[in-house]
Amino acid sequence: QVQLVESGGGLVQPGGSLRLSCGASGFTLDHYDIGWFRQAPGKAREGVACISSSDSPWYFDSAKGRFTIARDNAKNRVYLQMNRLKPEDTAAYYCATDPNVSCGSYWYERVISRSQGTQVTVSS
């Protein structure tokens, strides 16, 4: 069964850091672009970061300068290191991959979500 499972979310104070992790089962990640998007209640899906199968990162405006995406193909996992978190980063974060969708401006709009997500809350 193809599955993506996120972990690492939680409550953090503004300015703090979190590291999200996404593990894949039922398939190997190394051939696919994979990334993170987020969605807050009542708001549209927003791209965060994507990393290509050749290990090239793509950051959306929400993440530039603060977040880092990385993949570990040996562990079949992808990570999102989030630093200098802000209250506006509060959202459910999802990792996603789709063989028909490459990293790029429209990645987060086209990728199909198949996971539960992990909640990130930034608040004092």
Side-chain angles (χ1 to χ4, degrees):
Q1 181 181 359
V2 173
Q3 194 173 16
L4 291 171
V5 179
E6 304 94 341
S7 61
L11 174 64
V12 63
Q13 292 187 342
S17 298
L18 280 175
R19 186 193 193 208
L20 305 184
S21 177
C22 173
S25 60
F27 71 108
T28 54
L29 287 176
D30 52 351
H31 298 301
Y32 303 107
D33 294 8
I34 185 167
W36 295 85
F37 66 87
R38 67 189 186 187
Q39 190 161 21
K43 294 188 177 180
R45 182 188 287 192
E46 183 180 25
V48 179
C50 185
I51 188 164
S52 72
S53 59
S54 60
D55 220 24
S56 295
W58 176 284
Y59 294 101
F60 295 89
D61 288 345
S62 61
K64 288 179 180 177
R66 298 187 299 129
F67 297 177
T68 302
I69 189 170
R71 63 193 302 156
D72 186 336
N73 290 335
K75 295 183 178 179
N76 220 28
R77 304 191 75 86
V78 63
Y79 303 97
L80 184 68
Q81 177 66 43
M82 305 189 295
N83 298 327
R84 302 199 305 277
L85 284 160
K86 306 174 183 179
E88 49 264 45
D89 295 317
T90 296
Y93 283 70
Y94 301 85
C95 68
T97 185
D98 189 319
N100 298 312
V101 183
S102 299
C103 291
S105 299
Y106 300 102
W107 171 83
Y108 69 98
E109 295 180 355
R110 297 173 177 169
V111 72
I112 296 173
S113 174
R114 298 184 176 91
S115 60
Q116 296 291 326
T118 186
Q119 178 67 34
V120 172
T121 302
V122 185
S123 175
S124 55

